Amino acid sequence: MNMELEMEMKKKTCIAMVPCPGHGHLIPLLEFAKRFLLHHRDDFHVTFLIPTLGPPSPSTIAIINNLPSNIDFTFLPPVNVQDLHIQTDHPVPQMVLTVRHTLPSLKDALASLTSRTNLVALVLDVFSLEALHLAKELNISSYLAFASGAATLSFTLSFPKFDESFSSEFEFQPEFLDLERTMDVPGCDYASFKVKDLPDPVLFRRSGEIYTLFLSVCQKASLVDGIIVNTFNDLEPEAMRALHNGSSSRSVYAVGPIVAQPNQNQDEKIDECIAWLNHQPSKSVLYICFGSGGTLSQEQVNEIAFGLELSGHKFLWVVRVPNKIPNSGYVIGQKEDPIQYLPPGFVERTKEQGLVVPSWAPQIEILAHGSTGGFLSHCGWNSTLESIVHGVPMIAWPLFAEQRMNAILLTDVLRVAVRPQGEEDGVENREEIAKVVKRIMDHGNEEGLEMRKRTQELSYAAAAALTENGSSTKALSSLAHELLNKNL
């Protein structure tokens, strides 16, 4: 670290941020740091301490290298995945245990920061809460940066109580778990969440490691000094009220929507996608993507392909190598060409109708484009907010994690999404897929027009929350005031 940066950090209030492994967890924390410092750059400096399972990806390095000068970073020594002794492909153990194995080097890095800066707070991702005790040891404040919404946060904080209910009422065998039982999530009376809709670690009751680690995460979430949540008041007002009312000793800051900004650098894939979109009519293209880690079975890939062809609507589809495990993209590298897994002749037959992109596409740029009229999404919270910010209605296709809860919020409460019905043997058929595509994309369809109107209203509300006097900007100012007082 150069002398000039050392001097700057000594003069400012410093914050350390620890994401858990995974691009989808790093980006929201980075975007929050940039948003926070945009408003309070003269007072604060942020240091990222990043746990890793191996060398950072080229895309991660590109993002890190373009951070403003008041954010610096350290990649902690990588953990060998073999040392984790994980018996499952589920990402929760991988993320939590990676942070756990990183604790010695993280402790050294924090001690070094404390000795040479005015370090006042440790900001943790939900799956890096393993490091919570280090804040107590260093006598600094701890904050949870919750990358999902207020409803999921409310569930997370309440889950230890739900666990007691599960222990007394449910058997360990999944076949005896009442998946249709309605769960009362504080502040979420507006939505009917059933056991089957809850984050999927809940359904792994029989798989002790996943369930136990998830329960431990939820217990630690209640012990932080403050919570920063990526939502805005007008999106989830009831859940936010419940969080404020239930957190008398802890501040909860709704600072969203925090979404990634368009890439300013030249990129061949960005150029390809945007060039294609530039030749399509307004609001005519359905964008299809299942996040950075979502995967579908071969059967489901086939049905989506035939459903898109049957619908006749324009599409831009990010295709990933099929896998029966819906979150395998987080733990299995993409070494094959996913295009080869599409039905024979599909690409040729639909070359005038759609564009197929392997593995990754510039989502922000696509959603912001005037030709994009719908988004078939896995309902990850990052994607959900990005779609709302850009006023794009959705087809909800949740796969794992908290995505089923998000889908219910989008379809039943906000009514900015539709959801396929009629799943058979875990696979949605092509006729139903074509039907929901038409519901959202046919411009003469009253239901689609209403969804587009409501999504646009939420887009305006999201923009208003981020204005100088908006609710999220005020929440950032309150957080900054709290942190500065800790430095007095």
mmCIF file of all heavy atoms in Angstrom, residues 198-246:
data_model
loop_
_atom_site.group_PDB
_atom_site.id
_atom_site.type_symbol
_atom_site.label_atom_id
_atom_site.label_comp_id
_atom_site.label_asym_id
_atom_site.label_seq_id
_atom_site.Cartn_x
_atom_site.Cartn_y
_atom_site.Cartn_z
ATOM 1 N N LEU A 198 -39.996 -21.573 1.284
ATOM 2 C CA LEU A 198 -38.928 -21.003 2.094
ATOM 3 C C LEU A 198 -37.560 -21.315 1.484
ATOM 4 O O LEU A 198 -37.438 -22.199 0.631
ATOM 5 C CB LEU A 198 -39.018 -21.550 3.520
ATOM 6 C CG LEU A 198 -40.342 -21.268 4.261
ATOM 7 C CD1 LEU A 198 -40.304 -21.869 5.654
ATOM 8 C CD2 LEU A 198 -40.635 -19.772 4.322
ATOM 9 N N PRO A 199 -36.519 -20.588 1.885
ATOM 10 C CA PRO A 199 -35.177 -20.880 1.363
ATOM 11 C C PRO A 199 -34.849 -22.362 1.467
ATOM 12 O O PRO A 199 -35.127 -22.999 2.487
ATOM 13 C CB PRO A 199 -34.269 -20.027 2.264
ATOM 14 C CG PRO A 199 -35.126 -18.854 2.620
ATOM 15 C CD PRO A 199 -36.516 -19.428 2.801
ATOM 16 N N ASP A 200 -34.252 -22.904 0.421
ATOM 17 C CA ASP A 200 -34.158 -24.355 0.328
ATOM 18 C C ASP A 200 -33.362 -25.060 1.421
ATOM 19 O O ASP A 200 -33.589 -26.245 1.652
ATOM 20 C CB ASP A 200 -33.697 -24.806 -1.060
ATOM 21 C CG ASP A 200 -32.392 -24.202 -1.493
ATOM 22 O OD1 ASP A 200 -31.638 -23.715 -0.636
ATOM 23 O OD2 ASP A 200 -32.109 -24.238 -2.702
ATOM 24 N N PRO A 201 -32.416 -24.387 2.145
ATOM 25 C CA PRO A 201 -31.799 -25.117 3.257
ATOM 26 C C PRO A 201 -32.806 -25.623 4.293
ATOM 27 O O PRO A 201 -32.553 -26.618 4.973
ATOM 28 C CB PRO A 201 -30.859 -24.073 3.873
ATOM 29 C CG PRO A 201 -30.490 -23.197 2.734
ATOM 30 C CD PRO A 201 -31.752 -23.084 1.913
ATOM 31 N N VAL A 202 -33.970 -24.962 4.391
ATOM 32 C CA VAL A 202 -35.011 -25.415 5.317
ATOM 33 C C VAL A 202 -35.489 -26.804 4.929
ATOM 34 O O VAL A 202 -35.842 -27.626 5.783
ATOM 35 C CB VAL A 202 -36.194 -24.426 5.308
ATOM 36 C CG1 VAL A 202 -37.336 -24.932 6.180
ATOM 37 C CG2 VAL A 202 -35.741 -23.051 5.775
ATOM 38 N N LEU A 203 -35.503 -27.089 3.636
ATOM 39 C CA LEU A 203 -36.012 -28.365 3.151
ATOM 40 C C LEU A 203 -34.978 -29.476 3.242
ATOM 41 O O LEU A 203 -35.265 -30.624 2.922
ATOM 42 C CB LEU A 203 -36.490 -28.220 1.703
ATOM 43 C CG LEU A 203 -37.475 -27.072 1.453
ATOM 44 C CD1 LEU A 203 -37.895 -27.049 -0.009
ATOM 45 C CD2 LEU A 203 -38.685 -27.187 2.359
ATOM 46 N N PHE A 204 -33.767 -29.120 3.702
ATOM 47 C CA PHE A 204 -32.692 -30.105 3.851
ATOM 48 C C PHE A 204 -32.580 -30.537 5.309
ATOM 49 O O PHE A 204 -31.494 -30.818 5.801
ATOM 50 C CB PHE A 204 -31.356 -29.527 3.372
ATOM 51 C CG PHE A 204 -31.213 -29.483 1.887
ATOM 52 C CD1 PHE A 204 -31.686 -28.403 1.171
ATOM 53 C CD2 PHE A 204 -30.610 -30.515 1.205
ATOM 54 C CE1 PHE A 204 -31.551 -28.346 -0.203
ATOM 55 C CE2 PHE A 204 -30.475 -30.472 -0.181
ATOM 56 C CZ PHE A 204 -30.948 -29.393 -0.880
ATOM 57 N N ARG A 205 -33.702 -30.588 5.994
ATOM 58 C CA ARG A 205 -33.695 -30.941 7.411
ATOM 59 C C ARG A 205 -32.940 -32.249 7.654
ATOM 60 O O ARG A 205 -32.236 -32.415 8.644
ATOM 61 C CB ARG A 205 -35.137 -31.066 7.902
ATOM 62 C CG ARG A 205 -35.279 -31.485 9.364
ATOM 63 C CD ARG A 205 -34.935 -30.318 10.274
ATOM 64 N NE ARG A 205 -34.730 -30.774 11.625
ATOM 65 C CZ ARG A 205 -35.171 -30.152 12.707
ATOM 66 N NH1 ARG A 205 -35.833 -29.056 12.588
ATOM 67 N NH2 ARG A 205 -34.912 -30.606 13.899
ATOM 68 N N ARG A 206 -33.092 -33.173 6.716
ATOM 69 C CA ARG A 206 -32.460 -34.483 6.896
ATOM 70 C C ARG A 206 -30.957 -34.413 6.647
ATOM 71 O O ARG A 206 -30.198 -35.223 7.160
ATOM 72 C CB ARG A 206 -33.113 -35.483 5.941
ATOM 73 C CG ARG A 206 -32.880 -36.935 6.331
ATOM 74 C CD ARG A 206 -33.675 -37.836 5.434
ATOM 75 N NE ARG A 206 -33.574 -39.223 5.855
ATOM 76 C CZ ARG A 206 -34.119 -40.233 5.185
ATOM 77 N NH1 ARG A 206 -34.811 -40.000 4.095
ATOM 78 N NH2 ARG A 206 -33.993 -41.461 5.619
ATOM 79 N N SER A 207 -30.530 -33.443 5.795
ATOM 80 C CA SER A 207 -29.100 -33.258 5.519
ATOM 81 C C SER A 207 -28.539 -32.328 6.572
ATOM 82 O O SER A 207 -28.558 -31.114 6.422
ATOM 83 C CB SER A 207 -28.900 -32.675 4.117
ATOM 84 O OG SER A 207 -29.456 -33.526 3.149
ATOM 85 N N GLY A 208 -28.069 -32.891 7.657
ATOM 86 C CA GLY A 208 -27.715 -32.109 8.831
ATOM 87 C C GLY A 208 -26.801 -30.939 8.576
ATOM 88 O O GLY A 208 -26.995 -29.859 9.123
ATOM 89 N N GLU A 209 -25.777 -31.107 7.701
ATOM 90 C CA GLU A 209 -24.788 -30.060 7.512
ATOM 91 C C GLU A 209 -25.410 -28.790 6.937
ATOM 92 O O GLU A 209 -25.185 -27.686 7.450
ATOM 93 C CB GLU A 209 -23.672 -30.555 6.576
ATOM 94 C CG GLU A 209 -22.568 -29.524 6.378
ATOM 95 C CD GLU A 209 -21.480 -30.029 5.448
ATOM 96 O OE1 GLU A 209 -21.812 -30.644 4.413
ATOM 97 O OE2 GLU A 209 -20.304 -29.807 5.750
ATOM 98 N N ILE A 210 -26.209 -28.922 5.883
ATOM 99 C CA ILE A 210 -26.806 -27.748 5.241
ATOM 100 C C ILE A 210 -27.735 -27.034 6.201
ATOM 101 O O ILE A 210 -27.661 -25.814 6.386
ATOM 102 C CB ILE A 210 -27.566 -28.165 3.962
ATOM 103 C CG1 ILE A 210 -26.600 -28.772 2.956
ATOM 104 C CG2 ILE A 210 -28.291 -26.966 3.356
ATOM 105 C CD1 ILE A 210 -27.286 -29.375 1.749
ATOM 106 N N TYR A 211 -28.620 -27.806 6.828
ATOM 107 C CA TYR A 211 -29.606 -27.213 7.725
ATOM 108 C C TYR A 211 -28.928 -26.566 8.930
ATOM 109 O O TYR A 211 -29.255 -25.435 9.319
ATOM 110 C CB TYR A 211 -30.590 -28.287 8.178
ATOM 111 C CG TYR A 211 -31.765 -27.761 8.978
ATOM 112 C CD1 TYR A 211 -32.949 -27.420 8.342
ATOM 113 C CD2 TYR A 211 -31.687 -27.607 10.362
ATOM 114 C CE1 TYR A 211 -34.026 -26.943 9.066
ATOM 115 C CE2 TYR A 211 -32.757 -27.132 11.087
ATOM 116 C CZ TYR A 211 -33.929 -26.798 10.434
ATOM 117 O OH TYR A 211 -34.985 -26.322 11.150
ATOM 118 N N THR A 212 -27.979 -27.250 9.521
ATOM 119 C CA THR A 212 -27.308 -26.743 10.726
ATOM 120 C C THR A 212 -26.538 -25.462 10.433
ATOM 121 O O THR A 212 -26.570 -24.509 11.208
ATOM 122 C CB THR A 212 -26.367 -27.816 11.298
ATOM 123 O OG1 THR A 212 -27.121 -28.983 11.599
ATOM 124 C CG2 THR A 212 -25.683 -27.316 12.557
ATOM 125 N N LEU A 213 -25.833 -25.433 9.296
ATOM 126 C CA LEU A 213 -25.088 -24.230 8.931
ATOM 127 C C LEU A 213 -26.030 -23.061 8.676
ATOM 128 O O LEU A 213 -25.763 -21.926 9.070
ATOM 129 C CB LEU A 213 -24.220 -24.488 7.701
ATOM 130 C CG LEU A 213 -22.974 -25.339 7.927
ATOM 131 C CD1 LEU A 213 -22.302 -25.677 6.604
ATOM 132 C CD2 LEU A 213 -21.986 -24.626 8.847
ATOM 133 N N PHE A 214 -27.155 -23.336 8.009
ATOM 134 C CA PHE A 214 -28.123 -22.276 7.736
ATOM 135 C C PHE A 214 -28.727 -21.747 9.031
ATOM 136 O O PHE A 214 -28.873 -20.531 9.216
ATOM 137 C CB PHE A 214 -29.221 -22.803 6.814
ATOM 138 C CG PHE A 214 -30.246 -21.760 6.451
ATOM 139 C CD1 PHE A 214 -29.920 -20.715 5.594
ATOM 140 C CD2 PHE A 214 -31.532 -21.816 6.966
ATOM 141 C CE1 PHE A 214 -30.861 -19.750 5.258
ATOM 142 C CE2 PHE A 214 -32.476 -20.855 6.641
ATOM 143 C CZ PHE A 214 -32.143 -19.825 5.775
ATOM 144 N N LEU A 215 -29.059 -22.633 9.955
ATOM 145 C CA LEU A 215 -29.599 -22.211 11.248
ATOM 146 C C LEU A 215 -28.580 -21.359 11.997
ATOM 147 O O LEU A 215 -28.926 -20.329 12.590
ATOM 148 C CB LEU A 215 -29.981 -23.440 12.080
ATOM 149 C CG LEU A 215 -30.483 -23.178 13.502
ATOM 150 C CD1 LEU A 215 -31.724 -22.294 13.494
ATOM 151 C CD2 LEU A 215 -30.774 -24.503 14.215
ATOM 152 N N SER A 216 -27.305 -21.756 11.940
ATOM 153 C CA SER A 216 -26.252 -20.993 12.603
ATOM 154 C C SER A 216 -26.142 -19.580 12.014
ATOM 155 O O SER A 216 -25.970 -18.594 12.744
ATOM 156 C CB SER A 216 -24.913 -21.720 12.454
ATOM 157 O OG SER A 216 -23.847 -20.942 12.950
ATOM 158 N N VAL A 217 -26.254 -19.477 10.682
ATOM 159 C CA VAL A 217 -26.221 -18.172 10.015
ATOM 160 C C VAL A 217 -27.359 -17.300 10.526
ATOM 161 O O VAL A 217 -27.178 -16.120 10.838
ATOM 162 C CB VAL A 217 -26.312 -18.359 8.483
ATOM 163 C CG1 VAL A 217 -26.682 -17.046 7.798
ATOM 164 C CG2 VAL A 217 -24.998 -18.890 7.931
ATOM 165 N N CYS A 218 -28.556 -17.871 10.608
ATOM 166 C CA CYS A 218 -29.730 -17.108 11.055
ATOM 167 C C CYS A 218 -29.593 -16.662 12.511
ATOM 168 O O CYS A 218 -30.016 -15.557 12.876
ATOM 169 C CB CYS A 218 -30.993 -17.944 10.878
ATOM 170 S SG CYS A 218 -31.378 -18.310 9.153
ATOM 171 N N GLN A 219 -29.012 -17.504 13.336
ATOM 172 C CA GLN A 219 -28.802 -17.133 14.747
ATOM 173 C C GLN A 219 -27.819 -15.975 14.865
ATOM 174 O O GLN A 219 -28.026 -15.035 15.647
ATOM 175 C CB GLN A 219 -28.313 -18.352 15.525
ATOM 176 C CG GLN A 219 -29.379 -19.419 15.707
ATOM 177 C CD GLN A 219 -28.810 -20.740 16.201
ATOM 178 O OE1 GLN A 219 -27.634 -21.052 15.981
ATOM 179 N NE2 GLN A 219 -29.641 -21.532 16.867
ATOM 180 N N LYS A 220 -26.753 -16.006 14.068
ATOM 181 C CA LYS A 220 -25.751 -14.940 14.109
ATOM 182 C C LYS A 220 -26.323 -13.624 13.571
ATOM 183 O O LYS A 220 -25.918 -12.542 14.003
ATOM 184 C CB LYS A 220 -24.517 -15.347 13.311
ATOM 185 C CG LYS A 220 -23.661 -16.438 13.963
ATOM 186 C CD LYS A 220 -22.433 -16.735 13.117
ATOM 187 C CE LYS A 220 -21.491 -17.718 13.822
ATOM 188 N NZ LYS A 220 -22.050 -19.076 13.884
ATOM 189 N N ALA A 221 -27.256 -13.714 12.621
ATOM 190 C CA ALA A 221 -27.820 -12.495 12.025
ATOM 191 C C ALA A 221 -28.511 -11.625 13.068
ATOM 192 O O ALA A 221 -28.605 -10.403 12.907
ATOM 193 C CB ALA A 221 -28.802 -12.866 10.912
ATOM 194 N N SER A 222 -28.983 -12.245 14.138
ATOM 195 C CA SER A 222 -29.669 -11.488 15.198
ATOM 196 C C SER A 222 -28.695 -10.817 16.161
ATOM 197 O O SER A 222 -29.127 -10.054 17.031
ATOM 198 C CB SER A 222 -30.597 -12.418 15.986
ATOM 199 O OG SER A 222 -31.602 -12.943 15.151
ATOM 200 N N LEU A 223 -27.399 -11.082 16.021
ATOM 201 C CA LEU A 223 -26.415 -10.594 16.988
ATOM 202 C C LEU A 223 -25.645 -9.369 16.508
ATOM 203 O O LEU A 223 -24.834 -8.831 17.258
ATOM 204 C CB LEU A 223 -25.433 -11.718 17.328
ATOM 205 C CG LEU A 223 -26.047 -13.007 17.879
ATOM 206 C CD1 LEU A 223 -24.960 -14.060 18.099
ATOM 207 C CD2 LEU A 223 -26.807 -12.742 19.177
ATOM 208 N N VAL A 224 -25.881 -8.934 15.275
ATOM 209 C CA VAL A 224 -25.131 -7.788 14.750
ATOM 210 C C VAL A 224 -25.672 -6.484 15.344
ATOM 211 O O VAL A 224 -26.779 -6.428 15.878
ATOM 212 C CB VAL A 224 -25.208 -7.733 13.210
ATOM 213 C CG1 VAL A 224 -24.525 -8.945 12.595
ATOM 214 C CG2 VAL A 224 -26.651 -7.615 12.734
ATOM 215 N N ASP A 225 -24.869 -5.426 15.214
ATOM 216 C CA ASP A 225 -25.270 -4.124 15.745
ATOM 217 C C ASP A 225 -26.206 -3.366 14.814
ATOM 218 O O ASP A 225 -26.934 -2.474 15.242
ATOM 219 C CB ASP A 225 -24.025 -3.267 16.010
ATOM 220 C CG ASP A 225 -23.113 -3.889 17.061
ATOM 221 O OD1 ASP A 225 -23.636 -4.311 18.104
ATOM 222 O OD2 ASP A 225 -21.891 -3.962 16.824
ATOM 223 N N GLY A 226 -26.168 -3.698 13.533
ATOM 224 C CA GLY A 226 -27.035 -3.034 12.570
ATOM 225 C C GLY A 226 -27.161 -3.858 11.312
ATOM 226 O O GLY A 226 -26.331 -4.732 11.038
ATOM 227 N N ILE A 227 -28.230 -3.589 10.546
ATOM 228 C CA ILE A 227 -28.476 -4.341 9.311
ATOM 229 C C ILE A 227 -28.726 -3.365 8.170
ATOM 230 O O ILE A 227 -29.514 -2.424 8.296
ATOM 231 C CB ILE A 227 -29.684 -5.295 9.457
ATOM 232 C CG1 ILE A 227 -29.441 -6.305 10.581
ATOM 233 C CG2 ILE A 227 -29.942 -6.031 8.141
ATOM 234 C CD1 ILE A 227 -30.599 -7.248 10.835
ATOM 235 N N ILE A 228 -28.032 -3.610 7.072
ATOM 236 C CA ILE A 228 -28.194 -2.836 5.837
ATOM 237 C C ILE A 228 -28.886 -3.758 4.842
ATOM 238 O O ILE A 228 -28.361 -4.825 4.517
ATOM 239 C CB ILE A 228 -26.819 -2.396 5.296
ATOM 240 C CG1 ILE A 228 -26.044 -1.593 6.352
ATOM 241 C CG2 ILE A 228 -26.965 -1.612 4.007
ATOM 242 C CD1 ILE A 228 -24.540 -1.661 6.189
ATOM 243 N N VAL A 229 -30.068 -3.385 4.364
ATOM 244 C CA VAL A 229 -30.841 -4.286 3.513
ATOM 245 C C VAL A 229 -31.074 -3.635 2.151
ATOM 246 O O VAL A 229 -31.384 -2.443 2.050
ATOM 247 C CB VAL A 229 -32.175 -4.701 4.188
ATOM 248 C CG1 VAL A 229 -33.016 -3.495 4.563
ATOM 249 C CG2 VAL A 229 -32.961 -5.663 3.312
ATOM 250 N N ASN A 230 -30.921 -4.433 1.116
ATOM 251 C CA ASN A 230 -31.002 -3.937 -0.262
ATOM 252 C C ASN A 230 -32.450 -3.935 -0.748
ATOM 253 O O ASN A 230 -32.859 -4.754 -1.571
ATOM 254 C CB ASN A 230 -30.129 -4.792 -1.190
ATOM 255 C CG ASN A 230 -30.007 -4.184 -2.572
ATOM 256 O OD1 ASN A 230 -30.416 -3.048 -2.807
ATOM 257 N ND2 ASN A 230 -29.436 -4.940 -3.500
ATOM 258 N N THR A 231 -33.216 -3.001 -0.220
ATOM 259 C CA THR A 231 -34.593 -2.807 -0.659
ATOM 260 C C THR A 231 -34.919 -1.335 -0.466
ATOM 261 O O THR A 231 -34.073 -0.562 -0.038
ATOM 262 C CB THR A 231 -35.559 -3.717 0.125
ATOM 263 O OG1 THR A 231 -36.846 -3.711 -0.506
ATOM 264 C CG2 THR A 231 -35.712 -3.276 1.569
ATOM 265 N N PHE A 232 -36.140 -0.939 -0.796
ATOM 266 C CA PHE A 232 -36.564 0.426 -0.503
ATOM 267 C C PHE A 232 -37.970 0.397 0.066
ATOM 268 O O PHE A 232 -38.734 -0.556 -0.158
ATOM 269 C CB PHE A 232 -36.452 1.340 -1.733
ATOM 270 C CG PHE A 232 -37.172 0.865 -2.974
ATOM 271 C CD1 PHE A 232 -38.396 1.416 -3.340
ATOM 272 C CD2 PHE A 232 -36.612 -0.098 -3.801
ATOM 273 C CE1 PHE A 232 -39.052 1.003 -4.493
ATOM 274 C CE2 PHE A 232 -37.257 -0.510 -4.959
ATOM 275 C CZ PHE A 232 -38.486 0.041 -5.308
ATOM 276 N N ASN A 233 -38.304 1.413 0.815
ATOM 277 C CA ASN A 233 -39.523 1.394 1.626
ATOM 278 C C ASN A 233 -40.780 1.154 0.810
ATOM 279 O O ASN A 233 -41.688 0.426 1.230
ATOM 280 C CB ASN A 233 -39.657 2.702 2.411
ATOM 281 C CG ASN A 233 -38.650 2.799 3.547
ATOM 282 O OD1 ASN A 233 -38.086 1.784 3.967
ATOM 283 N ND2 ASN A 233 -38.401 4.001 4.025
ATOM 284 N N ASP A 234 -40.882 1.752 -0.377
ATOM 285 C CA ASP A 234 -42.097 1.614 -1.171
ATOM 286 C C ASP A 234 -42.234 0.235 -1.802
ATOM 287 O O ASP A 234 -43.315 -0.115 -2.275
ATOM 288 C CB ASP A 234 -42.125 2.675 -2.278
ATOM 289 C CG ASP A 234 -42.452 4.057 -1.741
ATOM 290 O OD1 ASP A 234 -42.944 4.149 -0.603
ATOM 291 O OD2 ASP A 234 -42.202 5.051 -2.459
ATOM 292 N N LEU A 235 -41.181 -0.545 -1.831
ATOM 293 C CA LEU A 235 -41.252 -1.892 -2.397
ATOM 294 C C LEU A 235 -41.787 -2.889 -1.375
ATOM 295 O O LEU A 235 -42.607 -3.750 -1.715
ATOM 296 C CB LEU A 235 -39.862 -2.330 -2.879
ATOM 297 C CG LEU A 235 -39.795 -3.669 -3.621
ATOM 298 C CD1 LEU A 235 -40.535 -3.586 -4.953
ATOM 299 C CD2 LEU A 235 -38.344 -4.085 -3.852
ATOM 300 N N GLU A 236 -41.336 -2.776 -0.118
ATOM 301 C CA GLU A 236 -41.733 -3.725 0.934
ATOM 302 C C GLU A 236 -42.076 -2.966 2.223
ATOM 303 O O GLU A 236 -41.412 -3.132 3.239
ATOM 304 C CB GLU A 236 -40.604 -4.717 1.194
ATOM 305 C CG GLU A 236 -40.188 -5.541 -0.012
ATOM 306 C CD GLU A 236 -39.064 -6.499 0.315
ATOM 307 O OE1 GLU A 236 -37.897 -6.077 0.263
ATOM 308 O OE2 GLU A 236 -39.359 -7.652 0.672
ATOM 309 N N PRO A 237 -43.098 -2.135 2.198
ATOM 310 C CA PRO A 237 -43.377 -1.278 3.366
ATOM 311 C C PRO A 237 -43.735 -2.054 4.632
ATOM 312 O O PRO A 237 -43.257 -1.725 5.723
ATOM 313 C CB PRO A 237 -44.539 -0.402 2.891
ATOM 314 C CG PRO A 237 -45.160 -1.154 1.743
ATOM 315 C CD PRO A 237 -44.034 -1.883 1.090
ATOM 316 N N GLU A 238 -44.567 -3.097 4.501
ATOM 317 C CA GLU A 238 -44.992 -3.841 5.702
ATOM 318 C C GLU A 238 -43.830 -4.588 6.334
ATOM 319 O O GLU A 238 -43.660 -4.584 7.557
ATOM 320 C CB GLU A 238 -46.119 -4.826 5.352
ATOM 321 C CG GLU A 238 -47.396 -4.169 4.892
ATOM 322 C CD GLU A 238 -47.455 -3.994 3.381
ATOM 323 O OE1 GLU A 238 -46.386 -4.118 2.728
ATOM 324 O OE2 GLU A 238 -48.551 -3.728 2.865
ATOM 325 N N ALA A 239 -43.015 -5.230 5.504
ATOM 326 C CA ALA A 239 -41.866 -5.965 6.040
ATOM 327 C C ALA A 239 -40.879 -5.017 6.707
ATOM 328 O O ALA A 239 -40.314 -5.329 7.760
ATOM 329 C CB ALA A 239 -41.178 -6.754 4.932
ATOM 330 N N MET A 240 -40.665 -3.843 6.116
ATOM 331 C CA MET A 240 -39.745 -2.878 6.721
ATOM 332 C C MET A 240 -40.287 -2.375 8.061
ATOM 333 O O MET A 240 -39.531 -2.211 9.025
ATOM 334 C CB MET A 240 -39.494 -1.707 5.775
ATOM 335 C CG MET A 240 -38.503 -1.993 4.656
ATOM 336 S SD MET A 240 -36.907 -2.646 5.229
ATOM 337 C CE MET A 240 -36.392 -1.379 6.396
ATOM 338 N N ARG A 241 -41.591 -2.142 8.141
ATOM 339 C CA ARG A 241 -42.171 -1.708 9.426
ATOM 340 C C ARG A 241 -41.967 -2.772 10.497
ATOM 341 O O ARG A 241 -41.633 -2.464 11.645
ATOM 342 C CB ARG A 241 -43.664 -1.399 9.254
ATOM 343 C CG ARG A 241 -43.949 0.003 8.744
ATOM 344 C CD ARG A 241 -45.392 0.395 8.944
ATOM 345 N NE ARG A 241 -46.279 -0.389 8.096
ATOM 346 C CZ ARG A 241 -46.625 -0.041 6.863
ATOM 347 N NH1 ARG A 241 -46.138 1.068 6.320
ATOM 348 N NH2 ARG A 241 -47.437 -0.795 6.156
ATOM 349 N N ALA A 242 -42.161 -4.032 10.120
ATOM 350 C CA ALA A 242 -41.971 -5.122 11.079
ATOM 351 C C ALA A 242 -40.520 -5.206 11.531
ATOM 352 O O ALA A 242 -40.243 -5.440 12.717
ATOM 353 C CB ALA A 242 -42.405 -6.451 10.462
ATOM 354 N N LEU A 243 -39.589 -4.996 10.628
ATOM 355 C CA LEU A 243 -38.170 -5.038 10.988
ATOM 356 C C LEU A 243 -37.811 -3.902 11.933
ATOM 357 O O LEU A 243 -37.078 -4.097 12.905
ATOM 358 C CB LEU A 243 -37.303 -4.965 9.727
ATOM 359 C CG LEU A 243 -37.301 -6.215 8.836
ATOM 360 C CD1 LEU A 243 -36.660 -5.921 7.494
ATOM 361 C CD2 LEU A 243 -36.564 -7.366 9.535
ATOM 362 N N HIS A 244 -38.328 -2.709 11.684
ATOM 363 C CA HIS A 244 -38.068 -1.578 12.583
ATOM 364 C C HIS A 244 -38.692 -1.823 13.960
ATOM 365 O O HIS A 244 -38.056 -1.583 14.989
ATOM 366 C CB HIS A 244 -38.608 -0.284 11.990
ATOM 367 C CG HIS A 244 -37.810 0.240 10.840
ATOM 368 N ND1 HIS A 244 -36.449 0.475 10.928
ATOM 369 C CD2 HIS A 244 -38.162 0.568 9.567
ATOM 370 C CE1 HIS A 244 -36.000 0.929 9.771
ATOM 371 N NE2 HIS A 244 -37.023 0.989 8.932
ATOM 372 N N ASN A 245 -39.919 -2.331 13.974
ATOM 373 C CA ASN A 245 -40.615 -2.555 15.245
ATOM 374 C C ASN A 245 -39.991 -3.685 16.046
ATOM 375 O O ASN A 245 -40.028 -3.687 17.277
ATOM 376 C CB ASN A 245 -42.100 -2.866 14.994
ATOM 377 C CG ASN A 245 -42.850 -1.680 14.421
ATOM 378 O OD1 ASN A 245 -42.417 -0.542 14.584
ATOM 379 N ND2 ASN A 245 -43.955 -1.936 13.745
ATOM 380 N N GLY A 246 -39.389 -4.654 15.355
ATOM 381 C CA GLY A 246 -38.812 -5.798 16.055
ATOM 382 C C GLY A 246 -37.341 -5.643 16.364
ATOM 383 O O GLY A 246 -36.704 -6.576 16.843
#
